[in-house]
Amino acid sequence: MSTGGDARAAERAVLRLARPYLGRLVGAGLLAAATEFAGLALMATATWLLMSAAGRPPLDRLTVAIVAVRALAISRGVFRYTERLAGHDAVLRMITDVRAGVFAALAARRDAARQRTGDALSRLVSDVEAVQDLLLRVLVPGAAAATVGVLAVAGAAVVSLPAAGVLALGLLVAGVALPLAATALTRHAADQVAPLRGALATDAVDLTHGAADLAAFGATGHALAAADDRARRLARLERRLAATGFAVDAAGVLIAGATAGAVVVTALRGGVGGVLVGVLAVGSLAAVEVALALVGAARQRTQLRAGLVRVAALLNAPETGGAGGAGTGGSGATAGGAGTAGSGARTGDGGAAPAAGATAVGPAPHDVRFDEVTVRYRAGAAPALDRFTLDLPAGRRIAVVGPSGAGKSTLAAVLTGTVHPAEGRVALDGADLSAYPEEELPRAVGGLLAEAYVFHATVRENLLLGRPAADEAALTAATRAAGLLDWVRAQPAGWDTVVGEEGGQLSGGQRQRLALARALLAAPGVLVLDEPTEGLDPAAADAVLASALAATPAGHSVLLISHRLSGLAGLDEIVVLDAGRVVQRGRHDELVAAPGWYRDQWLLQEAAERGYLALTPRP
């Protein structure tokens, strides 16, 4: 929860960002003040005109007032339009910079591998909109109300100094005391709203993109219950804020009436009579109504505090390197979180020291050993992995193949730490995998997992999620290895080409190449490639796979999961899984020569691809 000091520091940080647009914002504030003053003057002039007309004076005495009413009515609309135009122009220019800064900060965070997509979306949308609302709904109307209040008191003083004093007191109550009371009543609840909205956005992502994984893990009911609980808490807070707002608004109406009545009584006792008393009464009501805008501004400011703190924390954070993408992850346990690092569902505060027996890990080569690993997603169900044993020393390249449901994706999830074995042990450099810090592990073990997520951003920004500090030479090498470089160079915007929501501007093969390039750019010590050539035609798939394997740094090991058997001849070992068990293992030539699933599948795929090539027109 944000404190008052945190909120004030966040506001100062936001106002510093507004400096390049200060002239536009000041102009918007002056136009807002002119709008409110025109409304106040319109009410006062119209009152004088109606009360004077009741006495049937000569028409020439009313001509100026008639023209003034028309002019003020028109000018009020003109001022309001130009104020909105100027204010939104300045703020939207500023928001462009803020949103770009927030996105860059999210991409560069050390814990980007564990950054939840829903929360990132909440920061990019709801929290950044808090910056917009701070300027348009708090500062501009607040400054306008204060300016008009001073002018109203000055105008009342011309008629009656004691009445002006009463009006000033009423404006202080309505514009200072009541906003402070509204802030005190709503601060605690408002500080909880932004984090809860971020959590609900994360729940929405988990329950849609992660529906299949949640069902596979038997976690759908738990995820729904957690989301329902947060939704109920948010609804309670918003009802409380609404009730408080109603009470404060009612108090404002009472203060306006009491102020107008007190001004009339004071003016009458001071010898003011006739039309001027009516003008003072209506003018006082209009002035207090303008001052009550400060109540709304204070309430809005309180509700924006948490969002502003979250934005300022990102914009003020020092840039740090790190690996990992921004995965969607599941609600606590998804098997193939979207992203480059593969630890999508992991949470933590970061910075934890390694457990006993573990050492700091990074993108250097590592040794991995699976020792009798068994994974069950539900008690009593058949194991997804059954006593699986495998050595993956540094520099070794192993492929895991098998029919759908054999346990290949589960194996990748175990290796990246998103699924923990029910039995057995996974060791990284001799220490238990679970002993390593969550913020460090994705740099050692990660890569391209199933259904990698492509952000609505540029090609460069999507790639940098895997390695924020990478230069253009590294980007070029990674995209060349993934077979995407020619396409990038053919785009008018190059690296700054926007790929659309979930890569909607790309074909399926281009999305896969982009995700593969991101994994290669991250270059973890143990590279996991889950169906890296999905969506590519056979010739392109073979070329991309060979290029990706060649681009892997020397000494780094590779675990390749694939349904295609072509291109596996150069690997050190091929493991065939079926129902979570190893049914065959060996090199490509050995498995093709021996009866079994591998040879049968090889012959089928060879025949299918020969038929595909025969039917494909040659250029």
Side-chain angles (χ1 to χ4, degrees), residues 450-510:
E451 300 178 0
Y453 190 80
V454 176
F455 284 86
H456 181 36
T458 66
V459 172
R460 185 195 306 274
E461 289 164 337
N462 271 283
L463 291 172
L464 290 179
L465 290 172
R467 184 172 152 198
D471 56 18
E472 187 163 329
L475 297 179
T476 300
T479 50
R480 178 184 289 114
L484 192 66
L485 182 59
D486 290 343
W487 177 84
V488 173
R489 287 177 170 173
Q491 304 308 304
W495 300 109
D496 296 320
T497 300
V498 177
V499 299
E501 184 71 24
E502 298 190 25
Q505 301 302 314
L506 308 177
S507 67
Q510 289 167 343

Side-chain angles (χ1 to χ4, degrees), residues 303-329:
Q303 296 174 8
L304 300 177
R305 287 158 50 98
L308 291 173
V309 169
R310 282 154 57 94
V311 169
L314 286 174
L315 296 178
N316 294 333
E319 292 189 6
T320 54
T328 56

Side-chain angles (χ1 to χ4, degrees), residues 72 79 103 143 181 332 359 442 453 610:
L72 289 170
F79 286 144
F103 183 91
T359 57
Y453 190 80
R610 280 197 301 270

Side-chain angles (χ1 to χ4, degrees), residues 463-568:
L463 291 172
L464 290 179
L465 290 172
R467 184 172 152 198
D471 56 18
E472 187 163 329
L475 297 179
T476 300
T479 50
R480 178 184 289 114
L484 192 66
L485 182 59
D486 290 343
W487 177 84
V488 173
R489 287 177 170 173
Q491 304 308 304
W495 300 109
D496 296 320
T497 300
V498 177
V499 299
E501 184 71 24
E502 298 190 25
Q505 301 302 314
L506 308 177
S507 67
Q510 289 167 343
R511 284 195 298 271
Q512 191 71 1
R513 291 170 193 258
L514 179 59
L516 175 59
R518 186 167 63 195
L520 295 174
L521 183 67
V526 181
L527 178 63
V528 180
L529 297 178
D530 191 346
E531 303 290 0
T533 59
E534 184 73 24
L536 304 181
D537 64 74
D542 291 342
V544 168
L545 178 59
S547 177
L549 292 174
T552 305
H556 287 207
S557 51
V558 176
L559 183 70
L560 172 64
I561 295 172
S562 177
H563 69 278
R564 292 188 72 248
L565 307 185
S566 179
L568 305 185

Side-chain angles (χ1 to χ4, degrees), residues 260-279:
V263 166
V264 169
V265 171
T266 303
L268 290 173
R269 289 180 177 177
V272 178
V275 174
L276 292 179
V277 173
V279 171

